[in-house]
Every structure is written in structure tokens, then in C-alpha cells.
């Protein structure tokens, strides 16, 4: 068994247990039988790409966690690697100083291909 498949089966089991899901619950989310899902965790078969994407959704993990399971120790490390979306604070945008306005104007000109040097 390759290192990838070994890491994947170990990750599937540890993440499922950490989430508190039964094999049956995960199998239902995938639209497969419990025994088919058990094969994923035992390494007899491996999930296809659509199943991996569904698993990422079920476990609230980035899909890359299943593409590189050896890089993720478990649920918490995988979740920590998910970048948090932070909404920018734009309340100060109308209070730009003159040099900031000049930078914005230069940026806009550069986007159009004619920024003054």
C-alpha cells in the first residue's frame, strides 16, 4: 500500500471519529453503503475525486487535506490550515491622504497601462 493511501485511510478514520460521525452517517452523505465506506477506512478501496470533495464538505475541511493527507495530522491541524476569511475594514476609505490618493490614481493608471513614472 502506498504512503498516500495509508495516510488517507488513517486520516478518514481519525477525522470521522473527531467529528463524532458514524461510518453509516458518512456513507449516507456520500450516497454509498456503510460497507463501501468501511473499505475506504481499511484501505481496500479509495474514494474518487467527487467523493473526496463531498468528504471535505462533510468534515468542513479544505479539499487539499484529502489530496495530501500525509501533511495533516488530523481534524484540528487540517482546520487550522484553512485560511480564515477576514472582511476588510473599508470605513476609512474616504479619509485618504493626498499621497494615498495619488497612489490609488497611479494604480488605476497602471491597470489601464499608462502609469506616470
Amino acid at each position: 500500500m502506498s504512503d498516500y493511501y495509508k495516510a488517507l485511510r488513517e486520516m478518514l478514520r481519525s477525522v470521522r471519529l473527531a467529528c463524532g460521525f458514524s461510518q453509516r452517517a458518512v456513507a449516507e452523505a456520500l450516497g454509498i453503503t456503510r460497507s463501501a465506506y468501511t473499505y475506504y477506512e481499511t484501505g481496500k478501496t479509495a474514494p474518487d475525486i467527487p467523493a473526496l470533495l463531498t468528504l471535505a464538505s462533510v468534515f468542513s475541511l479544505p479539499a487539499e487535506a484529502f489530496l495530501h493527507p500525509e501533511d495533516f495530522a488530523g481534524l484540528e491541524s487540517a482546520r487550522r490550515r484553512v485560511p480564515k476569511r477576514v472582511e476588510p475594514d473599508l470605513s476609512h476609505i474616504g479619509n485618504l491622504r493626498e499621497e494615498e490618493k495619488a497612489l490609488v490614481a497611479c494604480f488605476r493608471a497602471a491597470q489601464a497601462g499608462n502609469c506616470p513614472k
Side-chain angles (χ1 to χ4, degrees), residues 40-82:
Y40 294 167
E41 287 191 7
T42 60
K44 290 183 180 179
T45 61
D48 58 10
I49 297 297
L52 290 175
L53 293 173
T54 301
L55 287 166
S57 177
V58 166
F59 297 132
S60 298
L61 294 174
E64 75 177 37
F66 296 99
L67 299 176
H68 302 284
E70 65 281 0
D71 294 340
F72 295 87
L75 179 67
E76 290 310 312
S77 69
R79 284 192 175 153
R80 278 194 296 271
R81 291 182 63 164
V82 176

Side-chain angles (χ1 to χ4, degrees), residues 25-49:
V26 176
E28 286 175 6
L30 292 170
I32 60 176
T33 64
R34 186 202 54 79
S35 60
Y37 178 77
T38 300
Y39 281 5
Y40 294 167
E41 287 191 7
T42 60
K44 290 183 180 179
T45 61
D48 58 10
I49 297 297

Side-chain angles (χ1 to χ4, degrees), residues 92-116:
H92 67 285
I93 204 75
N95 302 328
L96 295 176
R97 297 185 312 255
E98 289 306 313
E99 62 269 12
E100 292 169 326
K101 290 178 184 177
L103 283 171
V104 170
C106 184
F107 176 77
R108 287 181 178 166
Q111 293 298 309
N114 56 1
C115 184

Side-chain angles (χ1 to χ4, degrees), residues 4-35:
Y4 169 79
Y5 291 111
K6 182 178 183 214
L8 179 63
R9 72 180 173 89
E10 291 171 359
M11 181 185 174
L12 287 172
R13 178 171 165 68
S14 67
V15 168
R16 178 183 57 79
L17 291 173
C19 287
F21 295 138
S22 67
Q23 287 183 340
R24 184 171 310 285
V26 176
E28 286 175 6
L30 292 170
I32 60 176
T33 64
R34 186 202 54 79
S35 60

